[in-house]
Amino acid sequence: MRIVLALTVGVTGVLAALPALAQQAPPSLNAPVQATAEICGNCVDDDGDGLTDFEDPACCADRQIFPMAIDRGRIHPHGQTSGLGLESLLAAQGLADVNPRREDVFLQIRAERGDEVFCASVPAGRFVAKRPGVFRFRDHNHSVGTAGGIDRLVVRIAGDGSVRFRACARRAEFTSPRDGLLTVTISFRNPLAAESGNRCSTAQELHTNRRGALRVP
C-alpha cells in the first residue's frame, strides 16, 4: 500500500509540472539571434535591412556618397529584360582618383518600395584604358555573368576632376516597376582594400511610366 501511494503521488507531481515545463523554451531558442553583417559586392541584402550592397551605409557611408546628375536615362522593357541607356555625371569633384583597372564597378537600380530591380558588377580586370582617364568595358557576347547583360560601360575622368559614366545594354537582365520611382547607384570597390575606401554616386526619384519605361530628360 505504501509503494502504490508513493507512485501515485510521484506521477501526480510530474503531471502537475508538465504545463510549466512546456512553456519553457530550450535555452538555445531563447538566445538572441545575431544579425548577419552586410557583405559588400555580392548583390544580396545580407543583414535584411532592405538595402543591398552599396545602398547600405555599411558599404558606402554618407561621406563616401556623391550626388549623381543624370544627363540621359532610358529604360525600355522587353518581357523579362530591358533596354538600358544611362549617361551621367557621377561627381564634379572628389572622384577623380577612381581607377576601374583596380576597382570593381557596380550598377544598382532599386524601386521606391525597396525591391532591388538590378544589381550588376564589372570586375576591374575587364576594363581597358587605351587613353588616360578613359576606362572601357565591352561584352557583346555577355561572357561576364555578373554584368547582367550590359554591353558597354565607360568611366571617363576629365582634366577638371569630373567623372562621367555611361552604360548601354540591349537586353539587361531586369524589368522595371510600372509607374514607380527608381534609385540608381554607381559604386567603385577595390576588393583588396577596406570597405571604407568604397565610393558611390546616387540619383533618386527617377519616374517610370505605366509600361515601366524611363525617359530622362
Side-chain angles (χ1 to χ4, degrees):
M1 181 64 69
R2 292 179 182 177
I3 295 176
V4 173
L5 180 60
L7 288 174
T8 302
V9 172
V11 172
T12 302
V14 171
L15 292 176
L18 283 178
L21 292 173
Q23 294 178 359
Q24 296 180 4
S28 60
L29 297 180
N30 288 330
V33 178
Q34 186 174 2
T36 302
E38 184 70 14
I39 300 173
C40 306
N42 65 351
C43 289
V44 176
D45 178 17
D46 301 285
D47 57 8
D49 65 352
L51 300 173
T52 300
D53 287 357
F54 306 97
E55 300 158 348
D56 195 308
C59 297
C60 228
D62 289 343
R63 62 181 176 80
Q64 301 163 262
I65 300 177
F66 297 81
M68 183 193 310
I70 293 185
D71 300 319
R72 180 178 179 273
R74 299 287 188 273
I75 294 177
H76 300 290
H78 302 297
Q80 297 302 310
T81 62
S82 296
L84 172 67
L86 179 64
E87 298 179 14
S88 63
L89 173 66
L90 299 186
Q93 297 289 333
L95 272 182
D97 61 338
V98 296
N99 187 346
R101 292 285 293 166
R102 295 195 303 262
E103 297 168 295
D104 301 336
V105 179
F106 294 79
L107 167 57
Q108 294 178 248
I109 302 176
R110 172 171 292 279
E112 178 187 25
R113 292 184 296 274
D115 299 326
E116 188 78 358
V117 175
F118 186 55
C119 183
S121 64
V122 177
R126 297 305 300 259
F127 281 91
V128 175
K130 293 185 177 180
R131 288 188 296 163
V134 181
F135 304 88
R136 299 180 184 275
F137 164 77
R138 293 184 179 181
D139 186 23
H140 295 291
N141 295 324
H142 301 157
S143 60
V144 180
T146 60
I150 293 176
D151 298 311
R152 300 190 307 276
L153 193 153
V154 180
V155 177
R156 187 185 303 270
I157 304 173
D160 61 0
S162 61
V163 179
R164 292 190 173 274
F165 176 90
R166 182 173 63 189
C168 300
R170 290 166 296 177
R171 293 190 176 277
E173 298 171 1
F174 74 92
T175 56
S176 61
R178 298 180 179 182
D179 195 21
L181 295 177
L182 301 178
T183 296
V184 176
T185 302
I186 309 297
S187 311
F188 299 86
R189 176 180 184 263
N190 186 335
L192 302 179
E195 304 298 355
S196 58
N198 299 339
R199 268 81 59 80
C200 309
S201 180
T202 184
Q204 300 179 343
E205 297 188 354
L206 304 176
H207 193 266
T208 61
N209 64 18
R210 289 179 295 178
R211 294 181 53 252
L214 172 72
R215 186 179 182 89
V216 178

